[in-house]
């Protein structure tokens, strides 16, 4: 591992140099046009992911660009109309070229393999970001078609709105109360699936206060396109203030209120809950509370050309 | 018999599907009437529908594939235009329709477009290149084709009656379970894919047996054209993984029809198991498609360079290497499900190792041109376009195989750009190159060069204008499968992309024009030699089109590149080989078993 790390560091540096030097084309076009995207990270995880993405691209471009040039040069040099080029109608083997041809991809992939190995461990979403600063706990439930965020330590919850203190690591525990979704805040980095009956862990951090956004990255049905949420990174003091405000107003997320959330709705505006049943997340994740019922006969999702399981037409007649 | 369907399944209230349905039905009726009026039925029945000739079946496979590519392209136009107009607006396709379109697009393009074309090439070419008269099981072959055709029909019927799945081309549960998708769409998907899957398995078995047992005299394994090697590797993968798909979809069917709980949300079902199983088929599936494409390029590069393929043995080794390793990488499709660092590392490295095999192949094609006399006819243009496009696609593939990079780009437009880069740039370019290359062999006349080159340039430029912006959109955080767009920053690149689709439309028009112009000038373009490109493998030793028995006398192969060897010897000795001793030939009879199996009401599934 030690050896790998050394070479990775060197490579990363070399990679960045290559990016600045040889590969200004597509890559840097992408870079500049990506403000607000994954190459404009707002926290350490996003930065780690993006660095690896760029380094790996640079390592590969170092070999891909010469290969493409070689291909076109070869085709041009040996075009039929070029009578100056020698014609070797029987030539089909050269041990030396074969050796090179196998070793170039093998070496490249060995480098990439090092990046994969180190990167996978360093940026494992389950791994806490810091062992000194205790993280803020946030529990995430994906619903049809909105996101529920529960702050167990603050005893509050919010829908389609994630507020987090800047500079503090956040530990997300993520599950789904219906179908698969993927929790993704592009500028914070690593996405992870929200899956029913399972809890995924994700550690993220926003370095500076700012307005971000999140999205579901796994198709989840008709309301999927609006399964987006606002993400506010605020100074630590403001976070406490926000939590206090939330505690003072809004409804309570009890069983009945959660039932209502389980039904399919779209474009749900952000809102907060004053209090949350303790253990709600556990009950959702273990499916003690059954998952969302999906489309209901008579509901708008049934208005199409759809027929329900018992054969009766829903909604249309 | 009609199961869940009743009259309300016909989209009387929705203009877009209704008009499309009407147009398609009218066109189909028109064709049927034309055939009837002209009295072509007996000919079609005798020479095509009941034919068990591998060449006829190959041609029908390709025809089906081309029709489905066009259908899938129509879906693509709708998706790109919808996303271009639905920016902070609902657009013209509501979600329940849009979601069917992207599902149908993926399913049709991969399973009913690219697959039949690839299987068609294998059917047509493998026996000819191996110097034999048919595949191992000719009637079985016809059954395989007609099953695929009936699956394709079922998908297209769903356009007018009922609906298609709205779940994505791989119907992940629990979304695809009855609780969340109660309609008939997923059922259409399941039956169509199951039926055609059996057809594919049959063809796979056929090709494996043919290659292993039926080569002509002297055709040792290491003398087979590389296309036959790739057909073998691809068919071995079919035999290995299509049963996995069948079983997986059968489990989902049991969930939906009989209330089982394999993948349900509740009662102990495990939806993640579906994801594992379906990708255990799904990743090898992409290599099932692309290996024969590599085979096609391995025929084109030597022919148009006027010299043998560089590093034949390396090429074979790389093919088999890819075949085996592609079975061990499936988890890279869900690094983001939280498998843990060790598992992600393993699958990340195994995925990128595939690129070694691919890289070797690319260098071998490049060195095939070294010392050659490279002729830039249309098939060669597609091949050069492929080299460029596929290298970039491979690069982004390896990038997606780096877990932390995938954590940012999974399911984004970046991913969409990647797989189109490899599937269009790899498989579809190979198909067009191959159609151009073998068309004279199949039909006896060449295709028009000028229109062919025009079509290539439009497709190549159109491809990049359409898909390069998707890489950028992916890096901007745009996910796939959005029916409308809530972020203005994405708008410019979506507009560029839709312009690219416009160029691609012109490309398709050029392609069709090429066909029409060539048919009209077929006398001028006639291939009288049977060897229009100075070919190197045995199919070029037959007249164009080849007789139904392929070879009057079974060839005797004395080296790699059998036909080139024969030509060389003829040049050296300044004479043709002596008049052979002709023997009686035994060929299989026509059989309607295939079409009956696929379409007769008694054998079709009725509930
Ligand atoms: C150089 C070798 C390749 C590597 C390392 C590679 C890697 C990957 C990875 C890691 C993904 C999953 C990304 C994600 O879901 O986040 C992916 C997706 C995909 N790849 Fe590749 N790929 C390669 C070549 C190919 C080829 C040759 C094809 C097809 C002929 C192909 C077709 C696809 C398709 C269809 C998907 C997306 C499927 C879906 O999610 O619907 N790839 N590839
Ligand atoms: Cu894959």
């Amino acid at each position: 591992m030690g050896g790998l790390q050394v070479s990775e560091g060197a490579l990363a540096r070399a990679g960045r140099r290559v990016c600045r030097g040889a590969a200004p084309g597509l890559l840097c076009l992408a870079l500049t046009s990506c403000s607000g995207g994954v190459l404009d990270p707002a926290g350490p995880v996003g930065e780690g992911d993006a660095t690896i993405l760029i380094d790996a691209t640079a390592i590969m471009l170092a070999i891909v660009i010469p290969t493409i040039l070689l291909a076109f040069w070869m085709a041009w040099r040996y075009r039929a109309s070029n009578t100056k080029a020698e014609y070797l109608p029987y030539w089909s083997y050269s041990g030396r070229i074969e050796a090179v041809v196998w070793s170039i991809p093998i070496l490249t992939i060995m480098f990439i393999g090092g990046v994969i190995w180190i990167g996978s461990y360093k940026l494992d979403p389950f791994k806490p970001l810091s062992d000194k600063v205790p993280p803020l706990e946030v529990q995430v439930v994906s619903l049809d078609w909105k996101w529920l965020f529960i702050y167990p330590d603050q005893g509050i919850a919010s829908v389609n709105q994630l507020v987090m203190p800047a500079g503090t690591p956040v530990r997300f525990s993520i599950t789904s109360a219906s179908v698969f979704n993927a929790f993704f805040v592009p500028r914070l980095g690593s996405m992870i699936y929200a899956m029913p009956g399972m809890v995924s862990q994700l550690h993220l951090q926003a370095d500076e206060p700012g307005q971000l956004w999140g999205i579901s990255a796994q198709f989840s049905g008709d309301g999927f396109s609006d399964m987006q949420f606002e993400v506010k990174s605020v100074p630590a003091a403001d976070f406490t203030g926000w939590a206090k405000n939330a505690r003072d107003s809004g409804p309570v997320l009890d069983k009945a209120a959660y039932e209502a959330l389980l039904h399919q709705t779209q474009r749900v505006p952000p809102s907060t809950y004053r209090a949350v049943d303790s253990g709600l997340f556990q009950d959702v994740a273990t499916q003690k509370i059954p998952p969302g019922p999906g489309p209901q006969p008579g509901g708008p999702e049934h208005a199409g050309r759809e027929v329900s399981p018992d054969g009766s037409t829903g909604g249309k007649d | 018999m009609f199961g869940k369907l009743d009259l309300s399944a016909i989209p009387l209230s929705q203009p877009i599907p209704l008009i499309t349905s009407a147009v398609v039905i009218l066109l189909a009726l028109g064709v049927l009437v034309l055939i009837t009026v002209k009295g072509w039925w007996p000919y079609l029945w005798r020479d095509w529908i009941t034919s068990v000739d591998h060449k006829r079946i190959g041609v029908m496979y390709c025809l089906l594939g081309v029709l489905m590519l066009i259908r899938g392209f129509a879906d693509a136009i709708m998706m790109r235009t919808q996303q271009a107009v639905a920016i902070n607006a609902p657009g013209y396709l509501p979600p329940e329709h849009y979601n069917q379109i992207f599902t149908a697009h993926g399913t049709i393009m991969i399973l009913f477009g690219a697959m039949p074309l690839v299987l068609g090439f294998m059917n047509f070419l493998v026996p000819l290149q191996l110097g034999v008269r048919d595949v191992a099981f000719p009637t079985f072959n016809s059954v395989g084709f007609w099953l695929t055709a009936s699956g394709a029909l079922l998908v297209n019927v769903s356009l007018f009656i009922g609906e298609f799945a709205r779940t994505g081309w791989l119907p992940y549960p629990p979304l695809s379970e009855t609780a969340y998708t109660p309609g008939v769409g997923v059922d259409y998907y399941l039956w169509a894919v199951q039926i055609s899957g059996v057809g594919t398995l049959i063809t796979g078995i056929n090709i494996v047996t043919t290659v292993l047992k039926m080569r002509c005299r002297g055709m040792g394994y290491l003398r087979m054209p590389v296309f036959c090697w790739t057909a073998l590797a691809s068919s071995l993968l079919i035999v290995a993984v299509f049963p996995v798909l069948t079983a997986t979809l059968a489990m989902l069917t049991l969930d939906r029809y009989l209330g089982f709980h394999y993948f349900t949300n509740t009662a102990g079902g495990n939806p993640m198991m579906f994801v594992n199983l379906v990708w255990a088929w799904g990743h090898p599936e992409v290599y099932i498609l692309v290996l024969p494409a590599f085979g096609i390029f391995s025929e084109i590069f030597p022919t148009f360079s006027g010299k043998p393929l560089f590093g034949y043995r390396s090429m074979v080794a790389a093919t088999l290497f890819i075949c085996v390793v592609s079975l061990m990488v499936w988890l890279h499709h869900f690094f983001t499900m939280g498998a843990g660092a060790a598992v992600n590392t393993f699958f990340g490295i195994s995925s990128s190792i595939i690129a070694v095999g691919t890289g070797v192949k690319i260098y071998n094609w490049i060195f095939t041109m070294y010392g050659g006399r490279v002729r830039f006819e249309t098939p060669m243009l597609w091949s050069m376009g492929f080299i460029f496009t596929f290298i970039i696609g491979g690069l982004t593939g390896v990038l997606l195989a780096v877990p932390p990079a995938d954590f940012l780009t999974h399911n984004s437009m970046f991913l969409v750009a990647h797989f189109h880069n490899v599937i269009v740039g790899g498989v579809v370019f190979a198909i067009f190159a191959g159609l151009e290359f073998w068309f004279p062999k199949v039909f006896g006349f060449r295709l028009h060069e000028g229109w062919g080159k025009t079509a290539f340039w439009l497709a190549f430029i159109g491809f990049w204008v359409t898909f390069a912006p998707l890489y950028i959109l992916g890096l901007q955080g745009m996910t796939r499968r959005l029916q409308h767009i809530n972020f203005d920053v994405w708008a410019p690149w979506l507009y560029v992309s839709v312009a690219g689709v416009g160029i691609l439309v012109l490309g398709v028009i050029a392609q069709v024009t090429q066909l029409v112009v060539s048919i009209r000038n077929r006398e001028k373009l006639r291939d009288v030699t049977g060897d229009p490109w100075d070919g190197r493998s045995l199919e070029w030793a037959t007249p164009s089109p080849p007789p139904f028995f392929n070879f009057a006398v079974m060839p005797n192969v004395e080296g790699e590149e059998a036909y080139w060897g024969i030509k060389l010897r003829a040049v050296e000795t300044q004479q043709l080989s002596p008049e052979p001793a002709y023997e009686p030939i035994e060929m299989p009879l026509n059989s309607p078993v295939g079409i009956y199996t696929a379409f007769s009401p008694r054998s079709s599934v009725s509930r």
Side-chain angles (χ1 to χ4, degrees), chain A residues 193, chain B residues 110 169-170 172 279 282-283 285-287 289-290 294 329 332-336 348 351-355 358 390 393-402 406 409-412 415 418-420 422-424 426-427 480-481:
Chain A
Y193 271 71
Chain B
I110 299 234
W169 77 285
L170 295 176
Y172 277 18
W279 283 116
H283 185 83
E285 165 66 12
V286 305
Y287 282 92
L289 291 173
V290 89
F294 290 166
V329 304
H332 66 212
H333 293 274
F334 45 100
F335 284 138
T336 47
S351 309
S352 47
I353 280 179
I354 292 205
T358 321
F390 198 83
L395 186 158
T396 56
V398 175
L399 212 51
L400 288 165
V402 179
D406 185 65
T409 45
H410 172 65
N411 270 355
S412 70
L415 167 71
H418 154 67
F419 69 73
H420 284 87
V422 279
I423 293 190
V424 178
V427 182
R480 71 201 284 199
R481 296 178 173 166

Side-chain angles (χ1 to χ4, degrees), chain B residues 219-248:
Chain B
M219 183 64 84
Y221 285 117
L222 284 175
R223 288 177 179 177
M224 294 198 303
V226 171
F227 181 79
C228 291
W229 273 107
T230 57
L232 174 65
S234 166
S235 304
L236 284 172
L237 284 175
I238 289 178
V239 175
V241 300
F242 265 77
V244 178
L245 175 69
T246 307
T248 312

Side-chain angles (χ1 to χ4, degrees), chain B residues 187-199:
Chain B
D187 306 314
Y188 263 115
Y189 172 94
L190 289 171
W191 293 116
V193 175
Q194 289 293 49
I195 293 171
S196 77
V198 173

Side-chain angles (χ1 to χ4, degrees), chain A residues 33 38 78 87 98 225 292 305, chain B residues 162 180 306 314 374 475-476 483:
Chain A
S33 64
V38 299
Y78 293 101
Y87 180 38
E98 290 267 358
S225 304
R305 299 189 262 152
Chain B
Y180 295 100
S314 258
V374 184
L475 294 177
Q476 288 179 331
Q483 178 266 344

Side-chain angles (χ1 to χ4, degrees), chain B residues 338-399:
Chain B
V343 174
N344 280 359
T345 303
F346 175 86
F347 282 94
I349 293 180
S350 68
S351 309
S352 47
I353 280 179
I354 292 205
V356 173
T358 321
V360 168
K361 280 174 174 265
I362 301 233
Y363 286 115
N364 283 352
W365 291 317
I366 294 178
F367 280 101
T368 299
M369 293 187 283
Y370 175 82
R373 287 254 188 276
V374 184
R375 288 172 282 142
F376 292 100
E377 283 160 291
T378 316
M380 194 61 192
L381 290 187
W382 287 108
S383 307
M384 291 308 293
F386 152 79
I387 291 251
F388 177 75
T389 310
F390 198 83
I391 289 181
I392 310 274
L395 186 158
T396 56
V398 175
L399 212 51

Side-chain angles (χ1 to χ4, degrees), chain B residues 261-305:
Chain B
H261 292 92
Y262 284 111
F263 310 126
T264 51
N265 220 333
T266 50
N270 183 353
M272 241 187 102
M273 187 53 81
F274 179 92
V275 178
N276 263 291
L277 288 170
V278 87
W279 283 116
W281 161 79
H283 185 83
E285 165 66 12
V286 305
Y287 282 92
I288 291 171
L289 291 173
V290 89
L291 283 175
F294 290 166
I296 291 175
F297 292 121
S298 301
E299 303 296 307
I300 290 177
F301 275 104
T303 305
F304 289 88
S305 304

Side-chain angles (χ1 to χ4, degrees), chain B residues 8 11-12 46 76 80 151-152 223 278 300 310 322 342 344 355-356 368 370 389 406 414 422 513 515 571 577 593:
Chain B
S8 70
L12 292 175
R46 191 167 17 90
R80 289 262 62 83
R223 288 177 179 177
V278 87
I300 290 177
F310 176 79
I322 293 176
N344 280 359
V356 173
T368 299
Y370 175 82
T389 310
D406 185 65
F414 190 94
V422 279
T513 314
L515 188 64
V571 171
S577 44
V593 168

Side-chain angles (χ1 to χ4, degrees), chain A residues 223-267:
Chain A
F224 166 70
S225 304
D226 289 312
M227 246 188 108
Q228 287 144 15
F229 52 98
E230 55 175 55
V231 180
K232 278 192 197 140
S233 161
V234 295
D238 292 14
F239 177 76
T240 327
W242 172 78
K244 194 171 164 308
N245 268 347
R247 257 196 309 275
D248 290 345
S249 61
V252 175
L253 186 58
D254 52 16
K255 232 176 153 146
Y258 181 73
E259 283 290 307
L261 279 181
L262 277 176
H263 287 271
Q264 297 191 325
T265 43
Q266 302 185 19
R267 286 180 174 270

